[in-house]
Amino acid sequence: MTEHTVTAYDEELRALAGRVAEMGGLAETLVNDAVTALLTQDLDRAHRTILADSRLDELQQDVEMRLIRVIARRQPMGQDLREIMAAGRIANDLERVGDLAKNIAKRVIAIDGDFNASKAAFGVEHMAELAMAQLKAVIDSYTGHDAEAARSVRERDDEVDALYTSLFRELLTYMMEDPRKITQCAHLLFCAKNLERIGDHATNIAENVYFMVTGEQLLEERRKIDETGVTDQENA
Amino acid sequence: MTEHTVTAYDEELRALAGRVAEMGGLAETLVNDAVTALLTQDLDRAHRTILADSRLDELQQDVEMRLIRVIARRQPMGQDLREIMAAGRIANDLERVGDLAKNIAKRVIAIDGDFNASKAAFGVEHMAELAMAQLKAVIDSYTGHDAEAARSVRERDDEVDALYTSLFRELLTYMMEDPRKITQCAHLLFCAKNLERIGDHATNIAENVYFMVTGEQLLEERRKIDETGVTDQENA
């Protein structure tokens, strides 16, 4: 294989990873916008978030086409194959994160109420901050090829799940106290669930980054909370 | 290319499609078991459903490895490439269907109550029947390479969404009438949402079958119900 060929191949892999990183940045923005729209009841921002999600779908299709082309042309093995497989799987998780952000944005419109003043806002905000921190950290671990950072993301998923379980119960309590809040709280339950699932996707990505970098699986079973939250590996 | 090579290639494609069809059958079984466990409050069956889901994950990984191997060895184009891409995407959707079935099964355990006698059972059962019919029809359209059957599945997704929206409202009404039912109804809300998402995955699969068979996209925008249900393309 000539040096020229190797360089072109490296360039293909770099371009693929670049697209995945671009998806990561966009997914972060979508989640942040959806949550901000929810906390401030900003319907304009919610509408923009819904529209922006289609770009993430386009990028995922682009990643898929690049994957097929590079596998067909280069018959990758070992480390290169791991990079390519990780790119495809991570793109898949990021596209789903975008769908979940879009769903939160749609619920902003469905709620259309004085959420800002509601007692539940604090819990949702806290959970959103943690889920977004997880997403940011795992994208950084991907671009930095940092297996240890990926492992930490996975370990912190328990915190997201614990917050979800606590918020689930809190929202049910509000429903019981004031039946007029039931519709609003039902939408918030789904928003909380979406944030918990975004945390799960961050964990999936972390496992793929770890495997990509080290060639080893993070095997130990994740300890997950499984009570009313029913969170265990739903989207693993 | 010798005839022997062509035959081996055909065999690889057939084996790949066979694995995807196997995943389809298993996904149907998991959804059916989860829904039966819910309607009969059969905790044993719920536990078995949760355990059985891991087989679907294994099969998806097997499909992924076969895909990479066949793309690297054969550099597929045209119809072959469409078959291969469809197999990968459909396997992905089926794996997610399995996760949703597993989540319903977990909620059977979380509810652990007299659901059979509840008013909501009828609505859930009706929605489950339609979602399962969609899943079965789309898997048949895949194995039969039937583009028109795939198109019908996609058109019937509106019915699943309409049932979901109606069930969502019904469950909120039960919550308002009897606050002691709020926790049970919250779990049922998520079960209904899971069934709606299974319908969305059937629709995604239908679009991939149509493209695989015809080489054309089902382009017209799907008309979706988007009121309290917030169902539009969440998982598209």
Side-chain angles (χ1 to χ4, degrees):
Chain A
M1 203 177 265
T2 66
E3 195 173 314
H4 175 78
T5 311
V6 172
T7 306
Y9 181 19
D10 286 348
E11 188 44 52
E12 284 166 27
L13 294 180
R14 245 199 312 273
L16 184 65
R19 282 302 166 115
V20 175
E22 187 182 345
M23 285 184 74
L26 185 54
E28 274 187 69
T29 303
L30 287 175
V31 176
N32 187 56
D33 282 353
V35 168
T36 305
L38 177 65
L39 295 172
T40 62
Q41 277 297 304
D42 180 342
L43 298 189
D44 274 353
R45 192 189 282 255
H47 280 292
R48 274 181 277 127
T49 306
I50 292 164
L51 293 173
D53 176 59
S54 64
R55 175 72 186 138
L56 209 47
D57 298 343
E58 285 167 20
L59 281 168
Q60 194 207 0
Q61 283 174 24
D62 182 66
V63 165
E64 190 185 38
M65 289 316 299
R66 283 170 190 269
L67 274 177
I68 291 170
R69 221 178 301 139
V70 75
I71 294 169
R73 287 173 64 173
R74 310 294 182 175
Q75 290 90 48
M77 305 279 287
Q79 172 70 21
D80 291 341
L81 181 58
R82 290 206 306 274
E83 299 264 350
I84 288 165
M85 286 172 65
R89 290 171 177 179
I90 292 170
N92 200 6
D93 276 293
L94 291 172
E95 189 269 328
R96 287 157 76 177
V97 168
D99 286 343
L100 295 165
K102 183 164 78 169
N103 189 263
I104 291 173
K106 288 185 170 176
R107 290 182 193 280
V108 175
I109 298 160
I111 292 173
D112 194 16
D114 192 15
F115 173 63
N116 208 8
S118 96
K119 283 187 286 184
F122 180 74
V124 172
E125 186 171 11
H126 189 32
M127 200 183 156
E129 277 166 9
L130 192 55
M132 287 190 287
Q134 287 283 85
L135 188 59
K136 183 181 186 321
V138 84
I139 293 162
D140 289 347
S141 80
Y142 173 67
T143 52
H145 277 67
D146 187 339
E148 279 316 304
R151 187 206 288 270
S152 314
V153 167
R154 190 208 206 216
E155 279 165 6
R156 277 196 305 271
D157 188 48
D158 283 351
E159 292 175 39
V160 183
D161 291 345
L163 275 179
Y164 171 69
T165 302
S166 143
L167 190 53
F168 179 90
R169 289 181 183 155
E170 196 182 331
L171 286 166
L172 294 189
T173 308
Y174 297 149
M175 287 173 160
M176 289 171 201
E177 285 170 5
D178 184 356
R180 290 165 304 173
K181 295 277 185 206
I182 281 177
T183 302
Q184 187 190 77
C185 286
H187 285 298
L188 291 176
L189 272 181
F190 281 110
C191 289
K193 184 71 195 168
N194 287 352
L195 291 169
E196 186 267 329
R197 288 171 64 206
I198 288 169
D200 281 346
H201 288 298
T203 304
N204 285 353
I205 295 171
E207 290 171 358
N208 280 302
V209 169
Y210 191 89
F211 179 68
M212 173 182 87
V213 175
T214 66
E216 283 167 29
Q217 304 278 1
L218 272 170
L219 273 181
E220 339 89 89
E221 194 64 24
R222 269 186 265 164
R223 182 174 51 77
K224 301 272 283 189
I225 290 149
D226 190 5
E227 216 167 324
T228 55
V230 202
T231 55
D232 172 37
Q233 294 177 316
E234 177 185 357
N235 301 283
Chain B
M1 204 177 266
T2 67
E3 195 173 315
H4 175 77
T5 312
V6 173
T7 306
Y9 182 19
D10 287 347
E11 188 43 53
E12 283 167 27
L13 293 179
R14 245 199 312 273
L16 184 64
R19 281 304 166 115
V20 175
E22 186 182 345
M23 285 185 73
L26 185 53
E28 274 186 69
T29 304
L30 287 175
V31 176
N32 187 56
D33 283 352
V35 169
T36 306
L38 177 65
L39 295 172
T40 61
Q41 276 296 307
D42 181 341
L43 299 189
D44 272 354
R45 192 190 282 256
H47 280 293
R48 273 182 279 124
T49 306
I50 293 164
L51 292 174
D53 176 59
S54 64
R55 175 72 186 137
L56 209 46
D57 298 342
E58 285 166 19
L59 281 168
Q60 194 206 2
Q61 283 173 25
D62 182 65
V63 165
E64 189 185 38
M65 289 315 300
R66 284 171 188 267
L67 275 178
I68 291 169
R69 221 179 300 140
V70 75
I71 295 170
R73 287 174 63 174
R74 310 295 181 176
Q75 289 90 48
M77 306 280 286
Q79 172 68 19
D80 291 341
L81 181 57
R82 290 206 305 274
E83 300 263 349
I84 288 166
M85 285 172 66
R89 289 171 176 178
I90 293 170
N92 200 7
D93 276 296
L94 291 171
E95 188 268 328
R96 287 156 78 176
V97 169
D99 285 343
L100 294 164
K102 183 164 77 167
N103 189 263
I104 292 173
K106 287 187 172 178
R107 291 183 192 279
V108 176
I109 297 160
I111 292 171
D112 194 17
D114 193 12
F115 173 64
N116 208 9
S118 96
K119 283 187 284 185
F122 180 75
V124 172
E125 186 171 11
H126 188 33
M127 199 182 157
E129 277 167 7
L130 191 56
M132 286 191 290
Q134 288 283 84
L135 187 60
K136 184 181 184 320
V138 84
I139 293 161
D140 289 348
S141 80
Y142 173 69
T143 53
H145 277 66
D146 187 338
E148 280 317 304
R151 187 207 288 271
S152 315
V153 167
R154 191 207 205 218
E155 279 164 7
R156 278 195 306 272
D157 189 48
D158 283 351
E159 293 175 40
V160 182
D161 291 345
L163 275 178
Y164 171 68
T165 301
S166 142
L167 190 52
F168 179 89
R169 289 181 182 153
E170 195 182 332
L171 286 165
L172 295 190
T173 309
Y174 296 149
M175 286 174 161
M176 290 172 201
E177 285 170 6
D178 185 355
R180 288 164 307 172
K181 294 276 185 206
I182 281 177
T183 302
Q184 188 190 76
C185 286
H187 284 298
L188 291 176
L189 272 182
F190 281 110
C191 289
K193 183 72 195 167
N194 287 351
L195 291 168
E196 186 267 327
R197 288 170 64 204
I198 287 169
D200 282 344
H201 288 299
T203 304
N204 285 352
I205 294 171
E207 290 171 358
N208 279 302
V209 170
Y210 191 89
F211 179 69
M212 174 182 88
V213 175
T214 66
E216 283 165 30
Q217 303 279 1
L218 274 169
L219 272 182
E220 342 87 89
E221 194 64 24
R222 269 185 264 165
R223 184 173 49 78
K224 301 272 284 192
I225 290 149
D226 189 5
E227 217 168 324
T228 55
V230 202
T231 54
D232 171 38
Q233 294 176 318
E234 179 184 357
N235 302 284

